[in-house]
Amino acid sequence: MKKHLIVVLIFICVAWSAFLLTGCNSKDSANQYEINFVVDNNFYAKTNVSNGTIEKMPSDPQKEKYIFQGWYFDNNQWNKPLTQQAILDLPITNDKTINVYAYFVAYNCNADGKEHSLIETTSVKATCTQNGSKTYVCTACDYSYSQVIYATGHNCKKTITKEATCTENGTAHFVCENCGYAYNEKINAVGHNLGALVVTTSAKCKQDGEGYRHCSRCGEDIIESIPQTNHKLDSTKHCINDGCEYFEMFNCSVVVTSQFGTFTKDLSLEYGKPFYVSPESYGVEQLKFLGYYNGEEKVSDEKGNFNAVFQGQKSLSVTAKYYFAVTKADDLIALQDNSFLATYFTNQKHTEPLKVEIENEIDFKNVNWQPITINGYIDLNGKNHTLKNYYSTSGGLFTTVGKTYVNSTTIKNIIFETANLNIENLSADNVGKYSEMYTIGILASRITGAIEGITIKSGTIRVEYNGDLDLLVAGICGRVNSIINCTNHATITTNTAVAGGITVSADSVVGCKNYGIITTGDYIVSAMINSVYSNSYGTSGIVCEATSIERCINYANLTCKRLNIAGISITAKQITECSNFGDITATNGSAAGISYLCTNYDIEKACVDRCSNHGNITGIEYVAGIVCSSLGIANSYNVGDIISKTGYAGGIAVSYTNLVTMKYCYNDGTVKGKTGCFGGIVGKAQNVSLLKCINNDNNWASGTYNQTLCKVNDGTDNCFIELGYDSSIWQFNGNGKPMLKWETEYEA
Ligand SMILES: [Zn+2]
Ligand SMILES: [Zn+2]
Ligand SMILES: [Zn+2]
Ligand SMILES: [Zn+2]
């Protein structure tokens, strides 16, 4: 090192151009400045600095006997030269104007003001990356200075050595032409130039699809996933997307009401599909489900499958209908003993009888039946199945059925074959108690309601009874509200004094027939003797007491020892179109072919109308072909023998009260009574009017009567026709014994 060596920094254009060329790794400054160049406190020049680059450097200032050393930020200090780096390092401030100052150093060439005699002694060339320098030495003094020659920066030439493709990066190779410095630069892949998507597999609701796009640049088909579409549900909750079968279920509350109660089933159902609601069984094995109903419309089958498909409703109300199926004798017992049914019957509304159906023939062989009681309403249909070999020493099939509501129970269409009741020690539990009387019958002791179509094809009822209440015996049912089209063939033999071939007591009896021989005894209890009941009860082919009787026929012989006896009834208010063909014998009372009494107080209306007697009627008090006492008789006839051994006899009636009207009646039977106490039409007339009656002799009546247009039968139909017997009522056979038209139309 030389003494007093002063390094003079000279900014020369070459140095600045080096700054400007170093683009390979330049650094930007966002600041823009204005630089004022100041020489000895005078403005000299100015220029802008933009992005770290000085736009234009002024020419170096000249000062006599001084050598310009460079521009400095710190005036008089001369520590902070203006360099490229200094510009880049300038703080970012609001002050956009910066001053730089010219630094001069005075010559020192032997202090005489002479110029130095400079020679360049050493010279280091600047390279691309390293500064060079020139050193000048004064030959006359020690003065020297070095001039920095800044690195030139590389002069790079770019060569693409690998082109970028759609998917692969390329490479650019840079070589400095000056120094050979070389480096590679990545060229990013350009990406495919893809066309429209070609779908190869469509996306599904829950499965991605696939397709591809063709690259026009590289020709590759780029596979692309197509996202799943997800389900799109319509109002039926079914996915409407093509080929998708996905659906969601609806929640539906099905409210089922039956006669046994209401329950709700919460179901999950598919729209538009058949649906099913499992029927409740209530734990009763005999209960058969008939279906669900909407009002009267049946909306399901017998398994609970609905006829319609589900329509998405949130709730549904239906009625469940059931019937109780009887396939064996024990099923009938279940009607009484099943605890669920017992509770049901207790709370039962009378408008909803339990439907009961007999499904097949039932054989009671080897069973001594204990009658069952149903304290509720049933609607029993035997469907004309046969109950064979019914046998009981206790009573009928049922004791009592029904509650207090009339006609809320019906029992119909049962055939009994070989039915045997053999009563010796009657238990009061097995009879229907009515007032001071018990009743009993093969079907039931008592039914509150209606009976229809019950047939006892064969059988016997034998009763030996000596209890303390009167026991009334019936072929079918002791007491019932109405009984229709029932037939009894069972013989009835009892030591008691009251029996009816069909029933003992009913409001209405229609279309019933009795073929069973009835033989009653004389056992009655004091309650019956001398009471009103003695005029209502006795031995009868059909019924003892009834309100109205129609189209009933007795074919059987009846015999009693006590009280009264008749082919159809003991007492009734209206008897229409009834016939008796049996021989009727009272060994100790009155007897009639049709009824002992008929007491309709409507005197304008014949309370006995279109009835006939064909059997022989024998008694010891009042004996009549049709009715012992009645308020009005019309269109009736007798062809049987009417015999009162010790009392009055009448071919049509015996009257002890006023017989208001007797018209269009004829007698062709033999009538005999106590001397002077019998007549072909009326046995004991008291102010009776006979109108157009015909007898086989002119003994119309005993007692007081008047007759109008009455005739003696001449054995032809003429006298009937002449009297105006109505051919719509009468069937003329040419023999003077016309029949009633209904008889010819009514099969026995
Ligand atoms: Zn010098
Ligand atoms: Zn280079
Ligand atoms: Zn491509
Ligand atoms: Zn879907």
Side-chain angles (χ1 to χ4, degrees), residues 54-293:
I54 295 173
E55 284 181 358
K56 185 173 183 292
M57 286 297 288
S59 58
D60 290 349
Q62 301 294 317
K63 188 176 174 182
E64 198 167 348
K65 296 185 180 175
Y66 283 84
I67 298 170
F68 176 67
Q69 299 294 316
W71 299 100
Y72 280 76
F73 292 102
D74 50 340
N75 195 13
N76 297 323
Q77 301 295 318
W78 318 119
N79 290 323
K80 296 178 181 171
L82 171 64
T83 64
Q84 175 70 32
Q85 191 61 46
I87 288 171
L88 293 174
D89 289 344
L90 280 174
I92 298 169
T93 67
N94 291 327
D95 186 359
K96 298 295 185 184
T97 302
I98 296 167
N99 292 336
V100 292
Y101 304 92
Y103 175 35
F104 295 95
V105 175
Y107 289 172
N108 179 23
C109 191
N110 296 321
D112 59 1
K114 289 193 294 188
E115 289 188 11
H116 297 295
S117 177
L118 296 174
I119 59 168
E120 183 176 338
T121 57
T122 58
S123 182
V124 178
K125 274 193 170 177
T127 68
C128 294
T129 55
Q130 289 191 326
N131 293 339
S133 65
K134 284 181 179 176
T135 302
Y136 297 90
V137 176
C138 179
T139 57
C141 66
D142 289 341
Y143 174 76
S144 71
Y145 76 91
S146 289
Q147 181 183 8
V148 174
I149 302 170
Y150 287 94
T152 60
H154 297 297
N155 180 19
C156 291
K157 186 184 176 193
K158 181 180 179 184
T159 308
I160 292 175
T161 53
K162 184 185 177 193
E163 290 282 358
T165 67
C166 294
T167 55
E168 290 189 357
N169 295 330
T171 308
H173 187 65
F174 290 86
V175 178
C176 178
E177 293 188 315
N178 298 331
C179 70
Y181 167 78
Y183 65 95
N184 289 334
E185 225 175 61
K186 184 178 82 175
I187 305 171
N188 287 328
V190 295
H192 294 295
N193 185 22
L194 295 175
L197 178 68
V198 178
V199 176
T200 50
T201 306
S202 296
K204 294 178 180 166
C205 294
K206 287 295 167 191
Q207 185 184 323
D208 291 345
E210 201 173 80
Y212 65 86
R213 293 178 194 270
H214 186 76
C215 177
S216 61
R217 183 179 296 117
C218 68
E220 194 177 342
D221 291 333
I222 305 302
I223 290 173
E224 197 171 293
S225 175
I226 304 169
Q228 62 185 25
T229 59
N230 287 320
H231 299 300
K232 188 174 177 192
L233 301 183
D234 64 11
S235 63
T236 73
K237 290 196 186 179
H238 282 73
C239 181
I240 59 172
N241 290 337
D242 260 3
C244 180
E245 295 180 352
Y246 176 82
F247 61 88
E248 287 176 8
M249 307 288 271
F250 286 76
N251 290 327
C252 179
S253 285
V254 182
V255 179
V256 179
T257 303
S258 78
Q259 64 195 120
F260 306 114
T262 298
F263 60 88
T264 301
K265 298 214 173 189
D266 291 321
L267 301 178
S268 199
L269 300 174
E270 181 186 354
Y271 190 97
K273 283 297 165 68
F275 64 110
Y276 163 76
V277 178
S278 66
E280 189 66 54
S281 71
Y282 299 102
V284 182
E285 65 172 74
Q286 293 88 354
L287 272 187
K288 302 297 181 199
F289 178 65
L290 281 167
Y292 295 113
Y293 286 75

Side-chain angles (χ1 to χ4, degrees), residues 575-595:
I575 303 173
T576 309
E577 296 183 347
C578 291
S579 285
N580 172 59
F581 290 86
D583 292 337
I584 292 173
T585 306
T587 57
N588 198 11
S590 297
I594 299 299
S595 185

Side-chain angles (χ1 to χ4, degrees), residues 193-398:
N193 185 22
L194 295 175
L197 178 68
V198 178
V199 176
T200 50
T201 306
S202 296
K204 294 178 180 166
C205 294
K206 287 295 167 191
Q207 185 184 323
D208 291 345
E210 201 173 80
Y212 65 86
R213 293 178 194 270
H214 186 76
C215 177
S216 61
R217 183 179 296 117
C218 68
E220 194 177 342
D221 291 333
I222 305 302
I223 290 173
E224 197 171 293
S225 175
I226 304 169
Q228 62 185 25
T229 59
N230 287 320
H231 299 300
K232 188 174 177 192
L233 301 183
D234 64 11
S235 63
T236 73
K237 290 196 186 179
H238 282 73
C239 181
I240 59 172
N241 290 337
D242 260 3
C244 180
E245 295 180 352
Y246 176 82
F247 61 88
E248 287 176 8
M249 307 288 271
F250 286 76
N251 290 327
C252 179
S253 285
V254 182
V255 179
V256 179
T257 303
S258 78
Q259 64 195 120
F260 306 114
T262 298
F263 60 88
T264 301
K265 298 214 173 189
D266 291 321
L267 301 178
S268 199
L269 300 174
E270 181 186 354
Y271 190 97
K273 283 297 165 68
F275 64 110
Y276 163 76
V277 178
S278 66
E280 189 66 54
S281 71
Y282 299 102
V284 182
E285 65 172 74
Q286 293 88 354
L287 272 187
K288 302 297 181 199
F289 178 65
L290 281 167
Y292 295 113
Y293 286 75
N294 180 8
E296 290 304 307
E297 183 195 1
K298 189 176 179 183
V299 295
S300 83
D301 67 9
E302 290 78 6
K303 291 176 178 171
N305 298 302
F306 276 70
N307 300 339
V309 297
F310 180 64
Q311 293 294 328
Q313 58 270 46
K314 287 180 179 155
S315 65
L316 183 65
S317 290
V318 290
T319 303
K321 293 190 179 178
Y322 296 85
Y323 75 98
F324 184 96
V326 176
T327 59
K328 55 190 184 301
D330 283 351
D331 295 335
L332 289 167
I333 296 172
L335 275 175
Q336 171 185 262
D337 290 353
N338 181 278
S339 59
F340 174 83
L341 289 180
T343 303
Y344 161 70
F345 282 132
T346 300
N347 302 315
Q348 189 184 26
K349 301 285 184 292
H350 74 277
T351 51
E352 296 178 278
L354 175 67
K355 193 177 170 79
V356 180
E357 292 192 354
I358 296 174
E359 305 277 59
N360 45 254
E361 178 179 292
I362 297 173
D363 196 337
F364 286 74
K365 196 175 179 184
N366 300 326
V367 174
N368 184 351
W369 186 255
Q370 277 296 319
I372 60 178
T373 292
I374 300 172
N375 184 33
Y377 314 108
I378 65 171
D379 180 359
L380 191 163
N381 188 348
K383 299 197 286 189
N384 290 319
H385 290 300
T386 299
L387 307 188
K388 282 173 79 171
N389 301 316
Y390 176 81
Y391 173 75
S392 178
T393 57
S394 304
L397 190 64
F398 298 105

Side-chain angles (χ1 to χ4, degrees), residues 397-654:
L397 190 64
F398 298 105
T399 300
T400 60
V401 182
K403 296 186 187 178
T404 54
Y405 295 99
V406 173
N407 292 335
S408 54
T409 279
T410 56
I411 296 180
K412 63 185 178 184
N413 303 333
I414 300 174
I415 296 167
F416 286 87
E417 193 177 301
T418 321
N420 292 298
L421 263 185
N422 191 1
I423 305 295
E424 290 192 0
N425 297 300
L426 185 72
S427 163
D429 291 339
N430 295 327
V431 294
K433 186 169 183 293
Y434 176 73
S435 192
E436 292 86 30
M437 296 170 285
Y438 291 144
T439 55
I440 198 168
I442 287 176
L443 176 68
S445 290
R446 182 173 187 188
I447 288 169
T448 306
I451 298 175
E452 183 176 346
I454 307 297
T455 298
I456 315 285
K457 275 178 96 173
S458 59
T460 58
I461 298 174
R462 191 183 76 85
V463 174
E464 286 293 325
Y465 172 78
N466 53 10
D468 54 4
L469 291 179
D470 280 301
L471 175 62
L472 318 183
V473 180
I476 292 177
C477 179
R479 303 184 73 86
V480 65
N481 295 92
S482 79
I483 184 163
I484 302 170
N485 297 337
C486 291
T487 301
N488 173 52
H489 287 265
T491 59
I492 299 173
T493 307
T494 173
N495 69 320
T496 60
V498 177
I502 300 296
T503 181
V504 172
S505 176
D507 286 339
S508 168
V509 184
V510 177
C512 294
K513 298 170 192 170
N514 177 56
Y515 295 86
I517 296 166
I518 301 176
T519 307
T520 54
D522 60 1
Y523 185 79
I524 55 176
V525 178
S526 57
M528 181 72 75
I529 302 168
N530 299 324
S531 77
V532 292
Y533 300 126
S534 63
N535 279 337
S536 301
Y537 296 109
T539 302
S540 170
I542 301 294
V543 56
C544 290
E545 59 161 0
T547 302
S548 72
I549 306 169
E550 191 178 333
R551 289 274 172 120
C552 291
I553 303 175
N554 173 56
Y555 294 96
N557 296 336
L558 314 178
T559 307
C560 76
K561 289 183 177 169
R562 199 160 183 179
L563 300 177
N564 306 308
I565 189 167
I568 302 299
S569 66
I570 302 302
T571 184
K573 289 188 171 157
Q574 181 70 47
I575 303 173
T576 309
E577 296 183 347
C578 291
S579 285
N580 172 59
F581 290 86
D583 292 337
I584 292 173
T585 306
T587 57
N588 198 11
S590 297
I594 299 299
S595 185
Y596 172 62
L597 295 175
C598 193
T599 57
N600 187 346
Y601 293 100
D602 179 359
I603 60 173
E604 295 302 316
K605 188 176 180 189
C607 59
V608 177
D609 195 5
R610 283 163 278 160
C611 293
S612 67
N613 174 56
H614 303 257
N616 298 323
I617 315 299
T618 307
I620 61 166
E621 294 179 27
Y622 302 117
V623 179
I626 301 298
V627 59
C628 289
S629 178
S630 176
L631 286 177
I633 304 175
N635 307 313
S636 296
Y637 70 95
N638 169 59
V639 293
D641 292 341
I642 310 301
I643 311 294
S644 177
K645 289 179 178 170
T646 60
Y648 293 89
I652 301 299
V654 177

